[in-house]
Amino acid sequence: MQEYFDKAIELAKLGVKNSEGGPFGAVVVKDNKIIGYGNNKVLKEKDPTAHAEIIAIRDACKRLNTHDLTDCVIYSTSEPCPMCLSAIIWSNMKEIYFVTNRKEVAEIGFRDDMIYNYLEKKEKDILEIHQIENKKCQELLESYNHELY
């Protein structure tokens, strides 16, 4: 396990050194082998979704030629934000290991807690959500009959 965290830390440090993004790294492991590598690249890519876990998941999926990471585990330098946690769940991984938590991340200026609070209905002012009726969208959804997994 330590070798996976060592690699995640190395990736995070490299990303910070190269001004790619925050101090976060992650690796995806299958059969005791790292198959996905990621560090935060939000600044480099000018992409708010370019978090370490997302980059590592994308890399693993590309290498394995699949969207399903059922037999994989992710190791991250920090507790995943809600977006990354969702991606981990959507990829079908069943385990994550992390070191620093969201409160520690908040202390250095990252705002994951704001989103967790929003999801827990503790904070309401950050996003307005509106559902509208649209028959074409409904028909599109109803016509979809493909098996996802």
Side-chain angles (χ1 to χ4, degrees):
M1 182 181 304
Q2 187 59 48
E3 69 183 280
Y4 308 140
F5 281 114
D6 288 346
K7 188 61 177 177
I9 292 166
E10 178 186 322
L11 291 164
K13 286 181 177 180
L14 183 64
V16 170
K17 179 182 174 190
N18 294 334
S19 301
E20 295 179 336
F24 307 108
V27 295
V28 175
V29 175
K30 181 176 182 172
D31 299 326
N32 299 314
K33 182 178 181 218
I34 299 174
I35 51 110
Y37 301 83
N39 63 281
N40 186 295
K41 295 183 183 215
V42 168
L43 300 177
K44 178 184 179 188
E45 301 294 328
K46 296 173 181 51
D47 177 357
T49 69
H51 291 197
E53 297 90 344
I54 300 292
I55 301 292
I57 289 168
R58 289 174 181 163
D59 187 37
C61 289
K62 187 174 184 178
R63 289 173 190 258
L64 295 176
N65 194 33
T66 184
H67 66 282
D68 188 352
L69 301 177
T70 296
D71 297 326
C72 299
V73 177
I74 191 165
Y75 295 81
S76 179
T77 58
S78 190
E79 181 178 4
C81 73
M83 175 187 68
C84 292
L85 184 60
S86 296
I88 292 164
I89 292 167
W90 281 119
S91 72
N92 294 319
M93 283 189 269
K94 305 296 184 222
E95 284 185 273
I96 178 166
Y97 294 90
F98 66 87
V99 182
T100 60
N101 64 45
R102 65 178 105 155
K103 293 189 185 343
E104 292 168 308
V105 168
E107 289 173 6
I108 63 167
F110 290 86
R111 51 194 181 143
D112 298 11
D113 266 352
M114 175 185 67
I115 300 170
Y116 279 109
N117 288 339
Y118 178 80
L119 293 172
E120 294 167 3
K121 308 280 189 229
K122 295 177 186 172
E123 192 162 335
K124 299 175 180 127
D125 296 345
I126 61 173
L127 181 67
E128 290 185 32
I129 298 177
H130 308 279
Q131 182 177 8
I132 62 170
E133 289 187 35
N134 185 304
K135 187 173 181 173
K136 289 180 183 177
C137 287
Q138 263 327 113
E139 290 170 354
L140 175 64
L141 186 66
E142 291 166 6
S143 70
Y144 185 80
N145 60 5
H146 299 287
E147 190 172 321
L148 293 176
Y149 298 97

